[in-house]
């Protein structure tokens, strides 16, 4: 099966990454558990706006924080097992143009077993058998545009249940759902 997998908040620990950098630069004591809503990055980071947050995150001419994120525990091991079982790993992530080189470098650094990467705002345009995402805005589009596919909501504080999507709480849960779906 084709497994459409998001990166930030699913494979990559986006909030941990930016919060650790914020602590180094500003002496803050932010924690990923503070992320209870989708669009509050600038509020937690004490930036004037989302644009100001992303300007800081971009880090000028240096590699952006996207280049230095850690994978979630068990993410890469699970993805490798799924790929070894014959599933096609399809990365589907929304990125700013400036983040694309760092994202591609990160995928190589972590050894992502894929030949297919889509960095697009319109994720639903990529056809897969199973989707895994955490975005409260993207999940309903998968359900709407791909009713025969299995859409999995990676449960996070910033998203709510989506009618038609299956909740997964961890990578082991996602693997079980994929195995069950592939045996049908």
């Amino acid at each position: 099966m084709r497994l459409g997998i998001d990166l930030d908040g699913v494979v990559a620990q986006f909030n941990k990454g930016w919060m650790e950098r914020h602590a180094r630069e500003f002496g803050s004591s932010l924690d990923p558990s503070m992320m209870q809503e989708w669009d509050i990055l600038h509020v937690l980071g004490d930036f004037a706006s989302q644009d100001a947050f992303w300007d800081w995150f971009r880090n000028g001419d240096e590699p952006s924080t996207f280049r230095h994120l850690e994978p979630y525990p068990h993410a890469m091991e699970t993805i490798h097992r799924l790929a070894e079982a014959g599933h096609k790993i399809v990365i589907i992530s929304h990125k700013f143009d400036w983040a694309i080189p760092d994202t591609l470098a990160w995928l190589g650094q972590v050894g992502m077993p894929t030949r297919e990467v889509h960095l697009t705002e319109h994720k639903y345009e990529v056809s897969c058998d199973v989707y895994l995402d955490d975005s409260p805005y993207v999940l309903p589009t998968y359900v709407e545009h791909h009713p025969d596919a299995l859409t999995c909501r990676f449960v996070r504080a910033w998203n709510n249940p989506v009618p038609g999507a299956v909740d997964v709480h961890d990578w082991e849960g996602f693997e079980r759902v994929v195995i069950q779906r592939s045996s049908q």
Side-chain angles (χ1 to χ4, degrees):
M1 293 189 303
R2 289 172 52 81
L3 309 180
I5 299 175
D6 180 37
L7 291 178
D8 303 312
V10 174
V11 177
Q13 295 187 61
F14 172 78
N15 291 315
K16 180 181 179 192
W18 80 260
M19 289 178 177
E20 286 177 350
R21 178 174 162 215
H22 196 274
R24 286 190 307 273
E25 293 181 18
F26 301 112
S28 63
S29 56
L30 299 173
D31 184 84
S33 66
M34 298 169 84
M35 280 297 300
Q36 298 293 311
E37 297 175 45
W38 182 256
D39 287 326
I40 63 169
L41 302 170
H42 69 292
V43 175
L44 289 175
D46 199 27
F47 292 96
S49 66
Q50 285 283 64
D51 288 341
F53 170 86
W54 289 115
D55 286 344
W56 165 77
F57 191 88
R58 182 178 182 173
N59 201 25
D61 293 330
E62 298 296 319
S64 73
T65 307
F66 282 118
R67 182 69 172 86
H68 306 291
L69 299 176
E70 295 176 28
Y72 276 101
H74 310 290
M76 293 309 301
E77 298 88 345
T78 303
I79 291 170
H80 277 279
R81 279 194 304 274
L82 292 168
E84 289 166 7
H87 300 292
K88 303 294 183 220
I89 305 303
V90 179
I91 298 302
I92 311 172
S93 186
H94 178 210
K95 297 290 185 189
F96 297 104
D97 288 345
W98 54 261
I100 292 172
D102 290 332
T103 300
L104 295 173
W106 184 85
L107 290 168
Q109 175 185 313
V110 299
M112 184 63 68
T114 187
R115 292 179 176 265
E116 191 172 346
V117 177
H118 298 268
L119 302 176
T120 178
E121 183 176 356
H122 304 288
K123 294 176 163 187
Y124 65 87
E125 293 178 346
V126 182
S127 182
C128 291
D129 301 300
V130 178
Y131 295 98
L132 178 63
D133 210 299
D134 67 319
S135 168
Y137 303 107
V138 171
L139 289 162
T141 67
Y142 284 145
V143 172
E144 176 187 351
H145 293 278
H146 301 282
D148 294 332
L150 175 63
T151 298
C152 297
R153 172 179 77 112
F154 211 119
V155 175
R156 300 288 190 220
W158 52 83
N159 63 33
N160 293 310
V162 174
V166 171
D167 289 351
V168 296
H169 297 271
D170 52 34
W171 278 96
E172 293 83 359
F174 179 65
E175 185 174 26
R176 282 191 300 273
V177 167
V178 169
I179 291 168
Q180 180 181 11
R181 178 72 170 218
S182 64
S183 66
Q184 293 178 350

